Amino acid sequence: MSANVASIALKGMEGYKIQVEVRVMEGKESIVIVGLPDASVKESKDRITAALHSMNVDLTNKRVIINLSPSEEKKNGPLFDLPMALGILINTGELKRRLPLNTAFLGALSLDGTIKPCEGMLPSVLSARKLGIKTIYLPFAPHLPLLEFDDLEVVYAASLHEVIELLSGKKTLPLFPKPIALAEKEEMHMDFAQIIGHSHAKRAMEIAAAGEHHLFMTGPPGCGKSMLAESFPSILPPLTKEEQFEVISLYQLSTSSCAFSNRPPFRHPHHSASGVSIIGGGQHPKPGEISLAHRGVLFLDEMAEFTKKTLDMLRQPLESGRITISRAHSTVNYPASFLLIGAMNPCPCGYLDSNQHYCTCSPKQIIAYQNRLSGPIRDRFDINLSLSPVNFKKHLGKEEEPSEAVRNRVVQARKRQYDRYGKVVCNGRIDYQTLIRKSPISSTDLQQLHTLSSKKDWSNRTQVKIIRLARTIADLDATDNITEKHLFEAMKYHSRTGEEKGEVFMVGER
């Protein structure tokens, strides 16, 4: 009779339950693993043999067949070492207990039977909760956060022998150093109080943060585009515990380090980054920058310097909040719900419309430079800002509003949106039908928008974005209805030309 042990396998960030079926028979000494294992899974048989030998378990003249079910899904990684070893122990009679189907096991084995942590443990644990697993055994990993759930018991074990004793009731739960707790204090970012002037840009960023609207900035070098973008995370609401686990899981799958902070992630890739590093992929697909910016901000500085192909790859995840990576052997999905901030100079020399420098670019060069961003990408941005350097003397002695005050308004505006839609979604991402049903616009205001759109040749997507922006502005004003005032402010922020010029200056700079 075969032994069944449950475990969790990953396909991108999505986990699924697998049954490790083990049958030990008399015959030529061997261990055969079936069920589409990759090389790392096939190597498990040697680690398992050595680990069982260290426990004086004799497999002489034993033929072991291990099936990883479902057989049609490709398995990878050493996470199945522990359940495979337990299956052998049950089938040989060394462990006289049938394991519950709602108990799962994860971990890689050393040759001496020690259980080692490995890549993908945290997303596997999070998937186990969704799959109805009640107890999960895994190795202690000091680099992972403290895992405490009401609906899932997490049991840490140091070795295969310890797992057997725990399952047999011969040992109490072991004591390990306490894992790192998720941060309760906020990670420090540049504060809005450090930025002098530019009230127009700060207002636009407050609207972008409140409704999760994508934002685009143009302006000459040194006007403060990068500084404003780097201060943007300081006005975003802190991540919840579930969101922190989700972000840390993505970083673990990408083998990147991640601080356990409740601040939304901020990713700032260089314009020389390849499309694979931005979108994700590789022979064994891993998350890219757009997934590492999940629940946070992706800032593309000097956006015109990125390749057109790379920028066009952003179009689908910007709409869906997910990225699908297809390879010959597998197709994986990663979450990529991020807020995009783009910045670029208005021309190759950077000084078009500048009051301090003379622009040396010809009209043809300016058009060619601005056309590096395709129309569909430009159309994805909800807010367009034109920045200029600050006149420092005009703002001497003025006290700037800190990020905390702005963040409090953003949190309140988002709460209004969550209550309105009955789920955690913002105006920038809710479907249009729900938006209009929950926030009706008067026929007069809608007619004015259509008339202006006809004059300016605005697309349907542009009109929808203006309504979304108006709804967010109304939420910041704590009003239930979208008024004419909200619509016209939204048009001002969305317009690519003729918007009010902003000013920015960093304390201590000249």
Side-chain angles (χ1 to χ4, degrees), residues 7 91 152 187 291 315 354 390 447:
S7 188
N91 217 240
L152 176 66
E187 184 184 353
S291 295
R315 288 157 61 176
S354 173
V390 73
Q447 183 58 44

Side-chain angles (χ1 to χ4, degrees), residues 310-354:
T310 298
L311 293 177
D312 285 340
M313 287 179 180
L314 297 174
R315 288 157 61 176
Q316 182 256 339
L318 281 173
E319 293 291 329
S320 65
R322 301 188 65 80
I323 180 66
T324 302
I325 304 171
S326 299
R327 294 294 180 266
H329 63 279
S330 66
T331 298
V332 299
N333 293 286
Y334 288 115
S337 180
F338 59 93
L339 200 155
L340 178 62
I341 297 181
M344 65 177 282
N345 296 328
C347 64
C349 78
Y351 295 107
L352 180 67
D353 294 332
S354 173

Side-chain angles (χ1 to χ4, degrees), residues 125 127 159 179 204 226 253 272 278 282 291 332 368 377 397 405 430 478 491 496:
V125 172
S127 297
S159 66
S226 299
L253 288 174
S272 62
I278 299 291
S291 295
V332 299
I377 283 294
I430 193 71
M491 292 179 198
R496 297 182 190 174

